[in-house]
Amino acid sequence: MKKELHIFFTSLMFYTRIPCPKNIDHHPDYLNKATRYFPLIGWIVGTISFSIFYISSLFLSIEIAVIMAIIASVLTTGAFHEDGFADVCDGFGGGWTKEKILLIMKDSAIGAYGAIGVVLLFLLKYKLLSDSIVLLQTSDTNTIFKIYLLFISAHALSRLAAITIIFTHEYSRDDATSKSKPIAKNYTWKEVLGAFFFGLLPLVALATFQYKILLALIPVFVMRYFLARYFQKWIGGYTGDCLGATQQVCEIVYYVSLLFLWKFI
């Protein structure tokens, strides 16, 4: 139990800005195992984001509350995944060889592709999340609980989609310049089982109110498949930035899927 707590806090320290015990560090052995808790971190980020949304919605409009919730999630993670998304936009937008793409993604400065991509990302996230919440508010019962499940299922499922790339593809860089490399070396059935358990449970809980929500798994993992194939084609695998971009894109696809399912199925 003590070892599992250490692994969990390693994951929490790596993926968020939440303070952790002083004995926790980025030891490679624990980082390898920390992948099992990556979707669980989505529960925590989603809970914080929902809490800010709920408190803000008591005296502000839904739209402003959603913006506050997005800000809370960005502050909680330190824009960890958004930064990866921006780097991927810059790298794949401006590079035409593996070496050039990896070099651009390694640059800490944000370029035009990254800036445009992040702006569009936040606009989509704001509008889709707002519409999803309004849709859930038309429910007769358990409205707040459903909105809470919406937040944590979006964060958990998108993180599951991202982390599964580690299980199926190779790390692209040949050096140790990326902080994501320690999580790319080894994994066991515990990492796979833990990731899927924590990644799918919130979605299953939300689906108890409307079973068709489970169909959202299809477009999310279809997008994950095409992103992984795209990364494989251009850079021969993935980087930490690729995982961050996958998480952000799959979160968007999840919101789109819910709105589509609610309206047309």
Side-chain angles (χ1 to χ4, degrees):
M1 185 63 182
K2 184 177 180 180
K3 183 178 179 180
E4 286 300 318
L5 281 174
H6 194 118
I7 296 171
F8 167 74
F9 280 118
T10 300
S11 183
L12 189 67
M13 172 182 283
F14 190 79
Y15 294 115
T16 74
R17 296 291 180 88
I18 298 174
C20 295
K22 294 182 178 180
N23 66 315
I24 305 300
D25 56 22
H26 293 107
H27 193 281
D29 290 342
Y30 286 104
L31 278 173
N32 274 316
K33 298 179 176 63
T35 55
R36 72 185 69 168
Y37 292 121
F38 185 35
L40 181 59
I41 300 303
W43 293 28
I44 297 172
V45 176
T47 297
I48 293 172
S49 184
F50 167 77
S51 299
I52 297 301
F53 163 79
Y54 178 72
I55 294 171
S56 300
S57 67
L58 296 178
F59 55 92
L60 296 171
S61 67
I62 295 298
E63 290 76 14
I64 299 299
V66 167
I67 293 174
M68 299 296 290
I70 293 173
I71 292 173
S73 67
V74 170
L75 292 176
T76 301
T77 62
F80 192 73
H81 310 298
E82 290 83 358
D83 178 65
F85 175 81
D87 286 341
V88 165
C89 290
D90 280 331
F92 288 88
W96 292 99
T97 65
K98 174 181 177 179
E99 292 72 21
K100 185 64 175 178
I101 292 171
L102 292 177
L103 181 63
I104 293 173
M105 287 199 293
K106 188 178 176 181
D107 190 348
S108 59
I110 187 170
Y113 290 107
I116 294 169
V118 168
V119 169
L120 295 176
L121 175 78
F122 280 123
L123 285 174
L124 269 174
K125 192 178 294 189
Y126 158 73
K127 183 58 178 174
L128 291 170
L129 185 53
S130 298
D131 287 354
S132 298
I133 290 171
V134 170
L135 190 64
L136 289 176
Q137 286 180 327
T138 62
S139 304
D140 296 328
T141 58
N142 300 306
T143 299
I144 296 301
F145 185 56
K146 290 177 183 177
I147 294 174
Y148 171 61
L149 289 176
L150 169 68
F151 273 85
I152 63 171
S153 61
H155 284 277
L157 182 61
S158 59
R159 281 164 172 77
L160 171 63
I163 209 66
T164 56
I165 294 179
I166 288 178
F167 304 149
T168 58
H169 291 71
E170 294 295 325
Y171 186 75
S172 181
R173 294 188 187 276
D174 297 324
D175 54 30
T177 57
S178 173
K179 63 183 178 181
S180 70
K181 187 166 186 181
I183 68 172
K185 292 180 179 178
N186 301 297
Y187 65 88
T188 67
W189 65 269
K190 291 183 180 179
E191 282 69 63
V192 176
L193 185 62
F196 274 89
F197 175 79
F198 293 119
L200 295 178
L201 188 58
L203 178 66
V204 172
L206 185 58
T208 59
F209 297 102
Q210 181 54 264
Y211 71 91
K212 63 186 178 184
I213 289 175
L214 287 174
L215 294 174
L217 280 170
I218 298 174
V220 168
F221 275 89
V222 167
M223 176 57 70
R224 176 264 182 212
Y225 167 77
F226 281 108
L227 285 172
R229 192 173 75 165
Y230 182 75
F231 299 147
Q232 182 68 34
K233 174 184 176 181
W234 283 98
I235 62 173
Y238 71 91
T239 66
D241 290 329
C242 295
L243 299 183
T246 300
Q247 186 275 318
Q248 289 292 297
V249 173
C250 287
E251 184 181 345
I252 294 295
V253 171
Y254 177 66
Y255 296 136
V256 173
S257 302
L258 290 186
L259 291 171
F260 178 85
L261 289 168
W262 222 278
K263 186 173 182 179
F264 295 106
I265 298 180

